[in-house]
Amino acid sequence: MKILCILLPHFPLRCEVLRHPELAACPVIITRAAASQKTVLDYSPELKNLQREMPLQQALSLYGDAELVRADIPFYGRAFNEILDALETRSPLVEGADPGEIYIGLDGLHLIYETDDMAVMAVREAVPPAFGARIGIAAGKFPAMLAAQHSESGSYRTLEGSLQMFLKDLSCDLLPVSLKSKEKLHEFGLHTLGQIAVLAAGPLQAQFGPEGRRRRELANGIDDTPLYPRPLEEIIEESTTLPS
């Protein structure tokens, strides 16, 4: 399935900056409570070596002077849904996988958008420029996401054919797995997608269970995960007029 991916980098941070412009002038870490521990939800791009889900204390040991902002999840959700609503006027096949990560199915839309350029233009018109959308197109969600990550500002990237050369030097941190799983991959000396791609499925399954095979497929650019568009909500109103 041909997928268009839209990435809105540092979406929670950009939401906060929109309502508190003064945050644009200082390093920021957005935090949230996970069980009994505070973790990093998002952070300013200039704060290198930080990752989402990282314990807050570990982040503060690197950037103790950063401004801490408590995550406002409902606010981010409302802002994200407004963008999804706008995109659904361009295509009925819109999946909001995670705030800041959107997938649109392009199969069957050629009658509306004759070329990828036209589809991308329609998408950009629906997303506020302040969110700095990055766009990629590929056969599957994961390769489309990687294409978006490596697209140039104001343009988009399409991945076609064999993807091994494109994927081989990319970090395994790009895999959609937990931070703990990524750390385990590094412990085994698996730092790039290329290193995972050439492994047999058996050893990966032995260490990571059923997910081991999927990680190998993703590292080879294979992702048959179906698209899950948002369910359509229909509002029915009924009224009557009574005599005074």
Side-chain angles (χ1 to χ4, degrees):
M1 185 177 187
K2 192 174 183 180
I3 300 289
L4 182 149
C5 174
I6 306 168
L7 294 181
L8 308 176
H10 297 284
F11 183 76
L13 176 66
R14 291 177 186 266
C15 288
E16 292 290 353
V17 170
L18 281 176
R19 65 176 177 178
H20 300 298
E22 67 275 9
L23 292 176
C26 62
V28 176
I29 297 177
I30 298 179
T31 71
R32 67 174 172 184
S36 60
Q37 186 180 49
K38 288 187 176 181
T39 60
V40 174
L41 175 66
D42 201 5
Y43 51 89
S44 299
E46 66 268 20
L47 303 183
K48 306 300 182 183
N49 301 318
L50 295 191
Q51 293 189 56
R52 295 184 64 175
E53 300 182 28
M54 175 182 286
L56 179 59
Q57 288 302 320
Q58 184 179 347
L60 290 177
S61 68
L62 298 172
Y63 301 101
D65 59 343
E67 181 79 17
L68 299 184
V69 176
R70 182 180 298 177
D72 188 343
I73 304 299
F75 174 63
Y76 309 149
R78 290 192 298 271
F80 191 53
N81 282 327
E82 288 178 3
I83 294 174
L84 295 179
D85 290 341
L87 287 170
E88 284 178 343
T89 66
R90 272 64 174 179
S91 168
L93 302 176
V94 179
E95 175 187 337
D98 189 57
E101 186 175 338
I102 303 166
Y103 297 99
I104 298 176
L106 293 182
D107 291 352
L109 291 183
H110 61 279
L111 296 177
I112 304 175
Y113 309 112
E114 296 180 1
T115 65
D116 289 346
D117 286 346
M118 294 175 64
V120 171
M121 184 179 299
V123 163
R124 286 200 180 279
E125 291 173 351
V127 181
F131 289 101
R134 304 179 75 91
I135 298 175
I137 298 174
K141 291 182 181 178
F142 185 62
M145 183 271 290
L146 294 179
Q149 281 198 343
H150 292 81
S151 65
E152 296 182 4
S153 179
S155 182
Y156 69 97
R157 183 161 189 166
T158 301
L159 295 181
E160 297 176 313
S162 177
L163 305 182
Q164 277 75 14
M165 290 301 295
F166 173 76
L167 297 174
K168 68 182 184 70
D169 294 326
L170 298 183
S171 172
C172 68
D173 290 336
L174 296 172
L175 288 170
V177 297
S178 68
L179 179 60
K180 185 176 181 180
S181 294
K182 294 173 185 177
E183 291 173 347
K184 191 173 182 180
L185 286 170
H186 286 297
E187 289 174 3
F188 283 115
L190 301 174
H191 307 297
T192 67
L193 296 182
Q195 290 174 315
I196 299 173
V198 298
L199 292 176
L204 283 171
Q205 284 184 297
Q207 292 294 334
F208 299 98
E211 279 298 305
R213 178 181 293 274
R214 173 162 169 76
R215 293 176 193 186
R216 182 176 181 273
E217 291 175 348
L218 293 178
N220 279 285
I222 302 170
D223 186 7
D224 57 0
T225 307
L227 194 73
Y228 296 103
R230 287 201 307 172
L232 295 177
E233 296 183 358
E234 184 176 5
I235 299 176
I236 300 175
E237 295 183 358
E238 184 177 339
S239 64
T240 185
T241 302
L242 300 175
S244 60

